């Protein structure tokens, strides 16, 4: 029963320590973006001509730092000093080791949901005391590894809890991992069905409102002295803040009930997940973390009385606004009276937008071949990707300055779940990702992920096994 407090650094934790906030960047994000596009062309990261790269992805590192600082500040302002808080980054939102490292330097740990994500967190130097393992389908081997490393685990269901029981019974040593139960508060869906985690029939977690569930959960906690956490992830894109907050309140109420049944503070930490929605319609970073904390304080004021440690697992809201895709317009044509720009950015980078355009609309910005914003009376145009199916469109009939071959388009707000969730259609390679920082008007780029090479693509496609099926 030696579950560590949430903010303790483990001995193997080689991650960078939080450092004071850097000087605030004087340039607003939109100004930094325009500078970055122009400089990306000038420095040859992307360009209009044969021989230039047709596609590149950028991450605004100052923006990511600002978001991490806003998250930390919003919770710190609401909690009594000394309350243990661990903010983790949901790795699936932007699974790049240098990004995890940047966020670790800003004081964040990692929320992981696969062996691959755990390996990325470890490669970034994020220690086990700052890592949380969630996944609805953890294998026994994954659970065994997590328990051996002392990584926090949130069990999703009864069968997983029985596996954890067996692993703990088989190991006479103390339980080093903080272990929790993922609760589905069944508070209802948001605007996007596929992303609503808290519906009555969601695949995630222990249902709270099913017949007999509550009593079963309280008993399960009472019987297991090493169960010290409750977890919920009740928000996501499309879920209004009061609805997310209702889910968190339900889990806080359950924690109080467990602790009353045990007769002391057995549940010492509540993991409230992530799920803050992102505004894809403009540069405004709304809703803010402060808005979310305010909604939580309204719904569950006792969550902030310092009697529970908190863990958070934000993903999209930390990086989405800070990612940018820049792609060349290879051709421009008119079909059936509709102007169409054929670009290099499509379904491989914006999979959700292409398959569910009404749910995941993206902004498109027009630049000329030198990376200067295009002027000109807006004209309704389709912006198409390079993939060989008709629906590979980033936007339909979008009013934009007329696009021509050799222009560039940029797609903002793509720093989470877009270019780092690559879709391998048509064997389109993963493009390079560069971080950028603006210092005194100069733009400095740093390669965060190289472009996938054609030989690497062939290898991934079984190139070393050419004759295997003969
Ligand atoms: C995806 C996920 C998150 C992060 O969600 P965002 O909407 O990106 O903030 C957090 N926790 C769990 C368990 C998740 O599955």
């Amino acid at each position: 029963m030696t579950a560590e407090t949430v903010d303790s650094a483990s001995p193997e934790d080689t991650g960078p320590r939080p450092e004071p906030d850097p000087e605030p960047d004087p340039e607003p994000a939109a100004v930094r973006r325009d500078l970055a596009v122009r400089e990306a062309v000038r420095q040859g990261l992307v360009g209009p001509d044969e021989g230039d790269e047709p596609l590149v992805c950028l991450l605004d590192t100052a923006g990511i730092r600002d978001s991490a600082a806003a998250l930390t500040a919003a919770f710190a302002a609401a909690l009594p000093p000394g309350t243990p808080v661990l903010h983790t980054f949901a790795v699936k939102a932007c699974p790049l080791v240098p990004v995890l490292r940047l966020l670790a330097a800003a004081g964040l740990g990692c929320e992981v949901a696969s062996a691959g994500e755990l390996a990325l967190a470890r490669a970034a130097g994020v220690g086990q005391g700052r890592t949380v393992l969630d996944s609805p389908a953890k294998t026994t081997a994954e659970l065994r590894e997590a328990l051996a490393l002392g990584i926090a685990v949130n069990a999703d269901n009864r069968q997983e809890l029985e596996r954890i029981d067996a692993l703990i019974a088989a190991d006479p040593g103390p339980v080093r991992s903080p272990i929790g139960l993922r609760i589905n508060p069944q508070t209802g869906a948001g605007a996007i069905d596929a992303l609503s985690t808290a519906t009555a029939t969601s695949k995630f977690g222990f249902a709270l409102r099913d017949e007999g569930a509550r009593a079963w959960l309280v008993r399960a906690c009472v019987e297991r002295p090493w169960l010290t956490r409750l977890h919920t992830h009740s928000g996501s894109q499309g879920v209004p803040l009061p609805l997310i907050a209702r889910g968190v309140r339900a889990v806080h109420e359950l924690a109080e009930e467990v602790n009353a049944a045990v007769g002391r503070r057995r549940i010492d930490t509540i993991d409230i997940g992530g799920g803050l929605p992102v505004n894809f319609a403009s540069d405004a970073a709304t809703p803010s973390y402060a808005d979310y904390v305010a909604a939580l304080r309204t719904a569950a004021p006792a969550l902030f009385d310092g009697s529970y440690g908190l863990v958070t697992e934000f993903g999209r809201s930390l990086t989405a606004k800070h990612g940018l895709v820049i792609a060349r317009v290879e051709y421009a044509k008119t079909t059936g009276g509709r102007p169409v720009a054929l670009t290099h950015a499509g379904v491989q980078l914006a999979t959700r937008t292409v398959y569910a355009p009404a749910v995941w609309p993206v902004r498109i910005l027009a630049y000329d071949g030198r990376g200067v914003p295009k002027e000109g009376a807006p004209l309704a145009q389709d912006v198409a990707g390079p993939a060989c199916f008709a629906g590979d469109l980033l936007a339909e009939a979008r009013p934009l300055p007329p696009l021509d071959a050799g222009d560039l388009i940029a797609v903002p707000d793509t720093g989470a779940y877009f270019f780092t969730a690559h879709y391998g259609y048509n064997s389109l390679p993963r493009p390079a990702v560069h971080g950028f920082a603006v210092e005194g008007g100069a733009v400095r780029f740093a390669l965060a992920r190289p472009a996938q090479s054609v030989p690497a693509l062939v290898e991934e496609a079984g190139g070393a096994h050419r004759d295997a099926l003969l």
Side-chain angles (χ1 to χ4, degrees):
M1 238 186 25
T2 54
E4 340 174 37
T5 56
V6 284
D7 61 346
S8 70
S10 63
E12 278 177 43
D13 189 347
T14 59
R17 310 314 308 161
E19 53 190 33
D21 290 341
E23 287 295 300
D25 197 304
E27 314 280 11
V31 175
R32 295 200 298 264
R33 178 174 62 219
D34 281 351
L35 282 170
V37 173
R38 206 183 60 209
E39 277 301 295
V41 176
R42 210 183 60 81
Q43 297 187 31
L45 305 185
V46 64
D49 300 319
E50 187 186 350
D52 291 335
E53 290 295 332
L55 180 63
V56 74
C57 304
L58 303 183
L59 285 167
D60 178 346
T61 53
I64 295 175
R65 268 202 211 92
D66 287 349
S67 289
L71 166 63
T72 307
F75 279 86
L79 286 163
T83 308
V85 183
L86 174 63
H87 296 293
T88 65
F89 174 62
V91 169
K92 71 175 184 286
C94 191
L96 296 176
V97 172
V99 170
L100 306 183
R101 186 79 172 165
L102 171 66
L103 288 166
L108 273 64
C110 285
E111 185 267 352
V112 301
S114 68
E117 289 181 359
L118 175 57
L120 298 188
R122 298 185 82 186
V126 175
Q128 58 265 35
R130 307 183 66 75
T131 302
V132 177
L133 175 66
D134 298 324
S135 137
K138 304 173 198 80
T139 64
T140 302
E142 282 167 356
L143 287 170
R144 188 179 290 116
E145 186 189 8
L147 295 181
L149 291 170
I151 287 171
V153 175
N154 290 313
D156 177 85
N157 58 68
R158 294 189 191 197
Q159 291 179 342
E160 185 186 341
L161 188 59
E162 283 165 16
R163 283 193 195 177
I164 294 172
D165 283 338
L167 289 168
I168 287 176
D171 181 349
V175 180
R176 293 170 55 223
S177 293
I179 300 175
L181 299 181
R182 176 170 185 166
I183 305 296
N184 171 9
Q186 294 170 301
T187 39
I192 307 175
D193 280 343
L195 266 63
S196 293
T197 52
T199 58
T201 55
S202 158
K203 73 171 187 173
F204 289 116
F206 290 84
L208 183 56
R209 297 180 182 193
D210 286 2
E211 180 84 43
R214 202 176 178 92
W216 188 92
L217 285 165
V218 171
R219 201 168 59 248
C221 292
V222 169
E223 288 167 355
R224 292 171 177 82
W226 38 263
L227 261 182
T228 57
R229 292 186 175 186
L230 293 179
H231 168 238
T232 188
H233 171 60
S234 59
S236 211
Q237 191 66 22
V239 183
L241 299 190
L243 187 58
I244 310 179
R246 272 215 292 289
V248 174
R249 180 182 64 196
V251 169
H252 177 269
E253 283 166 1
L254 181 63
E256 292 284 286
E257 200 173 322
V258 169
N259 288 342
V262 175
R264 60 182 200 82
R265 195 149 287 278
R266 164 73 62 63
I267 302 294
D268 61 16
T269 300
I270 298 180
D271 180 340
I272 66 170
L276 187 67
V278 162
N279 164 31
F280 286 94
S282 77
D283 282 325
T286 53
S288 67
Y289 290 110
D291 295 335
Y292 182 43
V293 166
L296 284 174
R297 288 180 89 164
T298 302
L303 188 67
F304 293 91
D305 68 8
S307 56
Y308 290 96
L310 292 185
V311 176
T312 73
E313 307 171 342
F314 292 99
R316 180 178 288 110
S317 55
L318 280 162
T319 58
K321 302 295 294 175
H322 315 305
L324 187 70
V325 173
I326 309 174
R328 177 160 82 216
V329 177
E330 196 66 51
Y331 300 105
K333 64 183 183 184
T334 300
T335 296
R338 172 75 58 84
V340 182
L342 297 167
T343 82
H344 290 274
V347 73
Q348 84 275 37
L349 309 175
T351 314
R352 282 177 168 162
T353 298
V354 167
Y355 287 126
V359 179
W360 296 102
V362 286
R363 290 184 287 155
I364 310 275
L365 309 171
Y367 295 85
D368 68 18
R370 293 164 304 150
V372 174
K374 281 202 95 168
E375 313 278 332
L379 177 71
Q381 295 160 85
D382 284 2
V383 180
C388 294
F389 66 99
D392 186 25
L393 301 170
L394 293 186
E396 266 186 276
R398 180 70 57 88
L400 288 169
L403 289 166
D404 207 349
D407 286 340
L408 301 170
I409 59 151
V411 191
D413 309 328
T414 46
Y417 303 106
F418 277 84
F419 54 77
T420 55
H422 186 85
Y423 177 57
Y425 200 92
N426 272 145
S427 299
L428 293 164
R430 295 183 185 90
V433 179
H434 298 261
F436 74 88
V438 178
E439 282 151 18
V443 183
R444 194 167 45 81
F445 292 101
L447 184 64
R449 177 185 80 181
Q452 186 176 29
S453 69
V454 171
L457 252 175
V458 172
E459 204 207 311
E460 196 177 278
H465 307 275
R466 188 183 64 169
D467 297 334
L469 307 182
L470 292 182

